[in-house]
């Protein structure tokens, strides 16, 4: 299986699209509203009139009555609200590459062995109907492939894949009992057949059939960090939150995807340092939007920053406050024209 593709042919995108696996925009464009064009064989229209939606987990431990779930706001900070979904409480959204579907996890009653039953749903923005993909335990992250045929997800700290219709559920890499420390959120390469994952201080890639497992980038192998990557528009770069040695602060770093494997951790361009204070902060779960902005979580808030650098903008300060009781995490961009409930 080739790990690189020289060209990519995907379906026509009728509107700006976003996902943890990348947001496709015209070549040389920041992806602002109204632009259209083609890049890498992909033709699309990014003409949604409204700013992109930013979705993230919002958890409230204050007892004030604010529900924990998936929160949505526009990229300019307006229209903020908790999403009303067919199954709740919902967490850990990811958006399909065509912008039409959101995957999310729900959590139910504890099982006899101490686990928690979970169901992964595929929510269609147009019809506002959610369809169950797989029911498992301890479900966290998920991603839908660019060809919309395969879902990769993390259950019980193991990396798995399943056909989008729920068939052919299979183990890709076992979790703590067999290998590594568990797995962070997966993303797909544009070939739809290769899953990029994070675990134990490394970024790796494996075929969606379980073949060809390789290490792409070493941060601190064996460390308890999950350097979850996000693809840039067009899949040319990845942005990763990690630290390369024990003396470095966490930082967002950008790497050319073509340089992996082979590039050193230190070779990544530092976008912003995330210094640790009294509690662990980090630069976690970045999502690179068609609007040209990178969203990421740094406890207890979600920030956005331009990929050229600058001062990060705190998007959730008004929601979280200073007490650390309300926290925001796991951001992902969604199309500005999506019908967000």
């Amino acid at each position: 299986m080739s790990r690189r593709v020289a060209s990519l042919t995907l379906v026509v995108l009728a509107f700006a699209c976003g996902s943890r696996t990348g947001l496709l925009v015209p070549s040389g464009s920041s992806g602002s509203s109204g632009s259209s064009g083609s890049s890498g064989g992909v033709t699309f229209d990014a003409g949604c009139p409204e700013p992109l939606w930013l979705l993230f987990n919002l958890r409230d431990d204050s007892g004030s009555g604010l529900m924990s779930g998936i929160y949505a706001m526009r990229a300019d900070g307006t229209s903020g609200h908790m999403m009303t979904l067919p199954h709740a409480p919902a967490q850990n959204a990811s958006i399909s590459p065509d912008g039409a579907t959101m995957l999310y996890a729900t959590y139910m009653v504890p099982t006899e062995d101490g686990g928690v039953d979970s169901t992964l749903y595929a929510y269609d923005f147009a019809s506002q109907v959610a369809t169950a993909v797989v029911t498992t335990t301890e479900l966290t992250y998920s991603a839908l492939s660019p060809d919309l045929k395969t879902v990769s997800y993390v259950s019980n700290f193991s990396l798995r894949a399943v056909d989008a219709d729920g068939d052919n559920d299979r183990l890709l890499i076992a979790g703590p009992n067999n290998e590594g420390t568990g797995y962070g959120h997966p993303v797909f390469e544009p070939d739809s057949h290769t899953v990029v994952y994070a675990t134990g201080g490394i970024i790796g890639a494996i075929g969606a059939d379980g073949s060809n497992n390789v290490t792409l980038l070493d941060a601190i192998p064996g460390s308890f960090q999950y350097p979850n990557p996000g693809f840039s528009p067009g899949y040319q770069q990845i942005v990763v939150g990690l630290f390369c040695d024990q003396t470095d602060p966490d930082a967002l770093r950008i790497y050319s995807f073509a340089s992996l494997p082979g590039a050193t951790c230190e070779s990544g361009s530092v976008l912003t340092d995330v210094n640790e204070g009294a509690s662990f902060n980090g630069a976690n779960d970045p999502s690179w939007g068609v609007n040209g902005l990178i969203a990421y979580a740094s406890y207890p808030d979600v920030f956005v920053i331009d990929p050229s650098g600058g001062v990060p903008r705190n998007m959730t300060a008004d929601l979280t406050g200073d007490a650390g009781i309300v926290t925001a995490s796991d951001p992902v961009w969604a199309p500005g024209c999506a019908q967000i409930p």
Side-chain angles (χ1 to χ4, degrees):
M1 174 184 63
S2 172
R3 289 209 55 259
R4 295 291 175 266
V5 290
S7 64
L8 170 68
T9 301
L10 293 177
V11 297
V12 174
L13 304 186
F15 45 84
C17 59
S19 113
R20 290 186 183 275
T21 64
L23 294 144
L24 304 176
V25 296
S27 179
S29 168
S30 66
S32 58
S33 294
S35 63
S36 63
S38 63
S39 176
V42 179
T43 302
F44 53 90
D45 177 10
C48 297
E50 299 293 335
L52 291 191
W53 285 104
L54 181 62
L55 313 181
F56 50 87
N57 291 343
L58 190 66
R59 178 179 176 87
D60 179 17
D61 293 320
S62 69
S64 65
L66 176 65
M67 285 185 61
S68 297
I70 299 172
Y71 195 89
M73 67 168 57
R74 294 286 188 184
D76 60 4
T78 62
S79 304
H81 65 282
M82 193 71 74
M83 294 181 68
T84 303
L85 294 163
H87 305 88
Q91 293 187 35
N92 299 338
S94 67
I95 309 299
S96 63
D98 68 352
T101 304
M102 178 179 71
L103 298 177
Y104 66 89
T106 63
Y107 302 92
M108 296 169 285
V109 297
T111 60
E112 291 182 0
D113 61 1
V116 178
D117 282 334
S118 315
T119 297
L120 180 66
Y121 286 95
Y123 177 83
D124 181 73
F125 283 123
S127 66
Q128 300 196 344
V129 171
T131 304
V133 177
V134 65
T135 296
T136 181
T137 57
E138 305 297 338
L139 175 67
T140 52
Y141 300 108
S142 62
L144 184 59
S145 62
D147 66 5
L148 312 180
K149 294 181 179 179
T150 307
V151 172
S152 182
Y153 68 97
V154 178
S155 172
N156 285 314
F157 300 100
S158 294
L159 184 67
R160 304 187 66 89
V162 63
D163 294 351
D165 61 6
D167 291 338
N168 193 24
D169 189 13
R170 63 246 187 218
L171 176 69
L172 300 183
I173 314 176
N177 292 331
N178 295 296
E179 184 176 344
T181 57
Y183 295 87
H185 72 65
V187 294
F188 277 90
E189 292 191 19
D191 66 3
S192 293
H193 302 299
T194 310
V195 180
V196 179
Y197 63 86
T199 185
I202 70 165
I203 294 172
I206 189 170
D209 60 359
S211 65
N212 298 339
N213 188 17
V214 297
T215 296
L216 300 182
L217 182 70
D218 288 326
I220 306 177
S223 65
F224 193 72
Q225 63 169 317
Y226 296 80
N228 293 331
F231 275 104
S232 68
Y235 296 89
Q236 300 302 306
Q237 297 172 292
I238 61 169
V239 57
V240 188
L242 48 70
F243 54 93
C244 295
D245 63 55
Q246 297 293 350
T247 63
D248 283 347
D250 274 344
L252 279 179
R253 294 177 183 262
I254 295 176
Y255 300 84
S256 166
F257 193 54
S259 71
L260 307 179
T264 64
C265 182
E266 293 80 4
S267 69
S269 174
V270 175
L271 181 57
T272 183
D273 286 342
V274 182
N275 295 311
E276 295 185 16
S279 61
F280 179 76
N281 292 326
N284 301 315
D285 302 311
S287 177
W288 201 325
V290 72
N291 56 4
L293 297 176
I294 295 171
Y296 67 95
S298 184
Y299 180 87
D301 287 299
V302 166
F303 295 81
V304 298
I305 188 171
D306 190 279
S308 63
V311 178
R313 178 186 177 192
N314 190 330
M315 300 294 291
T316 58
D318 291 342
L319 296 171
T320 61
D322 298 324
I325 296 173
V326 179
T327 56
S329 64
D330 302 287
V332 61
W333 293 105
C337 50
Q339 299 179 39
I340 300 295

